[in-house]
Amino acid sequence: MRNVILAAAAMLLTAGCGVQPVYRETSAGAGTITPRSRWTAAGSVTNPRAAIDGNVLTTAAGSAEGGDTLELDLGKACVFQTIVLDHGEAEQGFAARIEVAGSLDGSDYRTEYVTVGQRRITTILLPRPALAQHVRLRVVEPGPAAWTVAELYLQ
Amino acid sequence: MIQASHPPRRPRRLRLINPRSPLTTISMPEVIQKMTFSRRALFMPLNLAICAAVVPEGWEPEIIDENVLEQPHVPDARGIDAVGIGAMTTQANRAYELSDAYRALGVKVILGGIHASALPEEALQHADIVCKGDAEATLPHALRDLDAGAAMAVYDWRDHPDTPIASPRKDLLNPKDYLVYNPIQTTRGCPHGCTFCTTPSIFGRRFRQRSIPAIVEEVREAKERHNSHTFIFSDDDLAGNHAWAMELCEAIRPLKIRWASQCDILVSRSDKLLAAMRASGCQGLLLGLESPDPRTLSEAGKRYVKAEEYLQRIAKIHSHGISIWGSFILGFDGMRWQDAMRAVRFAQRSGIAMSCYTILTPFPGTQVFEQYRREGRLLTTDWSRYNGASVVYEPKGMSIPELRHAQMAAFREFYHPSSAFRRLRLLPFKRNGWLANLAVYRGLAYYYARKGRPLPSFADFASPGAQARIAASLGERSAALCDWT
């Protein structure tokens, strides 16, 4: 009985202490990021839509050779400075180097940052806030395994 | 017959800039001011003084050191033909800002220094020319080619590896701005290949010495012009070549100076060299000890020495009357907070006068940088955080807050007055050692008092509520120790 009580207490204490959502919907306002439900995804990866479907079990998959792209259309120009890539179960599915570029019109892209990927979750903090409707991620240098993006978030 | 005469071409002006270092903003400025007798910066930019010395004929150099300016330098293209910027990794962001601004003004920019040498492709996104390695072997060629309209993108020192090390143009800097105005370089490179060090990544294992007469002349000039009698030989490994180091000591002995430098602990092999160093005025040596743990030493690539020999080698150096500043690195994969504590206890037992505890920083070009990049453990490429005090990678043996706390606890416990007493004793009275130890401890205590945070201690790790105590000391908003920003 004591063990049951202890187990119940442990469950109560640890409730909510599992994996926290890394993305919070922002309230409407000029430049604020549109809800993910309004984004569209494209690029050279297989199944790009999986990166924004809210399901970490589905993945946008690239190759092990590098050069893959994942492109988002946010629906309108948004200001963001953080990009989070959850690689899901493919912990090694990060890029050794990844380029972040933004565009207002979908054709003229400006490189915001080139940085390293991290295993399990790649968090990219841009040196300065970016304003873009179209966001392109490109694998500049491949990592140890095929590039995999389970979910992508912007803040 | 009248011959057309061409007016002499005006000299081209090269502006050399030392970008602001985030290291100057790690501590509160008033603490730094108190510790440096109100000088504006610790070290004069020797790299730029050397660049100024090697500009070819037809070029005139000027030096701007942002670290001694009240306000950041505002790029201004008037009257200059090119800009040269030398930067360590922690200065790279600011170097790139300045480069971009000058290029937008139509000025050619040359980037050099450790960071550009390690990542020339990145540097070329912000500069017209990158000089990799020695300025002596690259900058003159770059400037001549720039004059001729035929400059290349990258100049590599290895194309002219035997270019002698130059004597710097210190006359272009104000001695009153610097606590250490007379750093003198006597060697370049290092014969060892530590995994965390940038020197082998840029110079390989190539180890060169400067002309001894040139060194003697530089010391003499400093004595005459500035009445200097104390010098820092700013080398990676002054005693990398024992025979040459002996010659140097014999040559500077008549100058009756006092000096300190850095070298590896193998200097303890030679009583003769140690005696010569002491006789020539050596007061102290900075030794890269890294850790008293053999596994960590192996991980650090320090295979030329055994950890179990450390105490006896340190004792030998002490026996010649030379003080030691021991440098330790925290955060290698095999290291937990207990190992950090053991490093401090070792330092205390060994009786060394000073020590520092740097957080492992995977500088670009080093083996650890490549390893952590491959493993996806680099957390950021915001180069301003590559400063030895921030954790920029995912450690294995400790959490990030634990590693940060261990570093500050190490400083606090080593420099505590009771520790200073056990190491320095009262007799013979080591005035400078006591002053330095008390100054560091006072600076720490002042810093934490001003921030309203408790002084860190290794006991915090083992206490009930350890997470909360560590968070409080770090000034973290919450006890959730996964937050590294």
Side-chain angles (χ1 to χ4, degrees):
Chain A
M1 181 63 185
R2 189 159 158 247
N3 287 344
V4 170
I5 292 170
L6 282 171
M11 280 174 61
L12 280 171
L13 285 169
T14 56
C17 289
V19 175
Q20 298 294 332
V22 296
Y23 176 78
R24 288 180 182 80
E25 297 279 354
T26 53
S27 54
T32 51
I33 301 168
T34 49
R36 294 208 310 158
S37 52
R38 288 209 251 151
W39 299 358
T40 58
S44 68
V45 291
T46 308
N47 196 13
R49 175 84 201 143
I52 54 172
D53 64 2
N55 182 353
V56 296
L57 295 177
T58 62
T59 58
S63 67
E65 281 79 48
D68 286 300
T69 58
L70 177 59
E71 292 158 17
L72 302 180
D73 182 345
L74 307 179
K76 71 174 182 70
C78 302
V79 175
F80 58 93
Q81 198 170 2
T82 305
I83 300 146
V84 177
L85 303 175
D86 186 340
H87 302 295
E89 290 176 325
E91 282 200 3
Q92 302 293 312
F94 58 91
R97 277 174 71 217
I98 186 162
E99 176 194 75
V100 179
S103 167
L104 289 170
D105 60 9
S107 57
D108 187 18
Y109 277 88
R110 168 194 146 115
T111 298
E112 299 291 345
Y113 202 33
V114 180
T115 187
V116 295
Q118 293 127 38
R119 66 178 191 88
R120 209 169 68 76
I121 295 178
T122 292
T123 304
I124 300 170
L125 179 62
L126 303 178
R128 58 196 69 80
L131 173 69
Q133 177 174 335
H134 301 267
V135 182
R136 185 182 68 202
L137 300 169
R138 186 174 68 88
V139 175
V140 175
E141 187 180 331
W147 191 44
T148 307
V149 180
E151 288 302 307
L152 183 154
Y153 308 97
L154 296 180
Q155 284 182 329
Chain B
M1 183 167 141
I2 298 171
Q3 287 186 331
S5 63
H6 299 281
R9 193 176 172 190
R10 70 161 179 85
R12 266 79 69 220
R13 199 145 186 88
L14 173 70
R15 175 169 292 161
L16 295 162
I17 304 177
N18 186 28
R20 190 163 191 84
S21 167
L23 290 170
T24 60
T25 55
I26 279 180
S27 294
M28 291 175 286
E30 61 265 34
V31 172
I32 298 291
Q33 288 273 294
K34 283 181 170 34
M35 290 169 71
T36 60
F37 306 97
S38 296
R39 300 300 168 105
R40 291 167 182 266
L42 207 53
F43 277 92
M44 64 93 91
L46 186 59
N47 59 329
L48 297 186
I50 289 175
C51 288
V54 301
V55 296
E57 200 178 319
W59 285 87
E60 264 179 24
E62 65 173 54
I63 297 180
I64 290 178
D65 184 355
E66 270 205 310
N67 298 286
V68 304
L69 300 179
E70 294 288 344
Q71 300 293 334
H73 169 67
V74 177
D76 182 352
R78 287 172 298 179
I80 58 159
D81 302 280
V83 162
I85 302 176
M88 298 183 292
T89 294
T90 195
Q91 298 169 290
N93 290 355
R94 179 59 181 156
Y96 292 157
E97 263 179 40
L98 289 166
S99 304
D100 292 343
Y102 269 104
R103 287 178 92 198
L105 293 172
V107 178
K108 292 288 185 202
V109 172
I110 304 170
L111 272 176
I114 297 173
H115 189 77
S117 298
L119 297 178
E121 296 86 13
E122 179 189 271
L124 276 173
Q125 292 172 38
H126 304 275
D128 299 286
I129 299 171
V130 166
C131 287
K132 285 180 66 173
D134 287 359
E136 294 92 334
T138 53
L139 186 60
H141 302 280
L143 290 174
R144 280 193 204 104
D145 289 351
L146 198 57
D147 251 351
M152 301 189 294
V154 179
Y155 289 80
D156 195 325
W157 77 281
R158 282 171 290 203
D159 294 333
H160 305 276
D162 297 319
T163 311
I165 300 171
S167 293
R169 288 276 315 266
K170 293 179 184 173
D171 56 298
L172 295 175
L173 295 153
N174 182 355
K176 289 191 167 55
D177 284 336
Y178 303 98
L179 186 66
V180 182
Y181 177 68
N182 276 310
I184 295 182
Q185 193 172 38
T186 71
T187 65
R188 205 170 280 174
C190 180
H192 305 298
C194 302
T195 59
F196 55 87
C197 185
T198 51
T199 300
S201 71
I202 294 171
F203 299 112
R205 296 276 188 101
R206 208 174 146 156
F207 181 63
R208 292 158 294 146
Q209 296 84 37
R210 202 173 148 203
S211 143
I212 290 180
I215 298 168
V216 169
E217 182 51 36
E218 191 176 341
V219 172
R220 263 208 194 103
E221 197 180 313
K223 282 183 73 178
E224 280 161 24
R225 280 227 180 125
H226 306 288
N227 200 27
S228 300
H229 293 276
T230 305
F231 295 84
I232 302 280
F233 291 139
S234 56
D235 296 6
D236 288 309
D237 193 350
L238 177 134
N241 180 323
H242 284 196
W244 180 88
M246 278 290 302
E247 277 184 47
L248 174 68
C249 291
E250 292 303 321
I252 62 176
R253 185 174 170 167
L255 299 173
K256 295 193 190 326
I257 60 170
R258 289 177 306 184
W259 60 271
S261 187
Q262 177 175 235
C263 65
D264 66 60
I265 200 168
L266 294 181
V267 70
S268 58
R269 271 185 185 163
S270 170
D271 274 299
K272 202 168 154 198
L273 176 57
L274 286 170
M277 288 167 90
R278 181 64 182 151
S280 70
C282 179
Q283 305 293 302
L285 293 171
L286 191 154
L287 302 181
L289 299 173
E290 322 322 345
S291 170
D293 182 275
R295 293 165 307 172
T296 305
L297 277 191
S298 175
E299 193 183 331
K302 270 187 144 64
R303 296 191 175 85
Y304 58 86
V305 66
K306 294 189 180 128
E308 50 267 31
E309 292 172 2
Y310 266 176
L311 276 178
Q312 107 204 30
R313 289 186 181 275
I314 287 170
K316 190 146 175 224
I317 296 171
H318 279 158
S319 71
H320 285 273
I322 296 173
S323 290
I324 292 174
W325 179 316
S327 172
F328 295 86
I329 297 180
L330 307 181
F332 283 104
D333 283 350
M335 192 177 244
R336 299 161 308 151
W337 70 263
Q338 294 92 335
D339 299 300
M341 187 177 71
R342 283 189 203 108
V344 177
R345 299 288 177 262
F346 166 82
Q348 289 169 325
R349 267 199 327 274
S350 68
I352 56 179
M354 302 278 289
S355 68
C356 58
Y357 302 89
T358 317
I359 288 179
L360 176 63
T361 301
F363 289 110
T366 61
Q367 292 179 48
V368 290
F369 178 83
E370 289 307 321
Q371 178 196 339
Y372 293 168
R373 196 170 69 96
R374 259 192 333 265
E375 293 172 357
R377 290 170 59 196
L378 289 179
L379 297 173
T380 180
T381 50
D382 175 1
W383 304 124
S384 66
R385 296 177 58 89
Y386 281 63
N387 52 28
S390 302
V391 184
V392 297
Y393 68 101
E394 189 187 334
K396 276 193 177 167
M398 290 181 254
S399 69
I400 290 170
E402 284 176 342
L403 178 51
R404 289 170 59 206
H405 192 72
Q407 181 195 36
M408 298 316 294
F411 274 107
R412 187 258 175 129
E413 296 204 1
F414 181 82
Y415 286 103
H416 193 277
S418 60
S419 163
F421 181 79
R422 284 198 301 275
R423 287 180 287 110
L424 302 176
R425 307 287 176 181
L426 283 179
L427 296 171
F429 186 62
K430 294 168 192 150
R431 187 185 70 123
N432 291 342
W434 272 104
L435 273 176
N437 273 253
L438 290 175
V440 172
Y441 190 77
R442 274 305 295 145
L444 266 175
Y446 177 72
Y447 174 82
Y448 277 88
R450 277 289 300 271
K451 296 280 186 184
R453 288 157 29 188
L455 277 166
S457 163
F458 283 112
D460 294 335
F461 287 101
S463 61
Q467 287 199 352
R469 290 171 77 101
I470 291 171
S473 186
L474 290 173
E476 297 289 322
R477 284 191 297 279
S478 75
L481 296 185
C482 55
D483 180 13
W484 65 275
T485 55

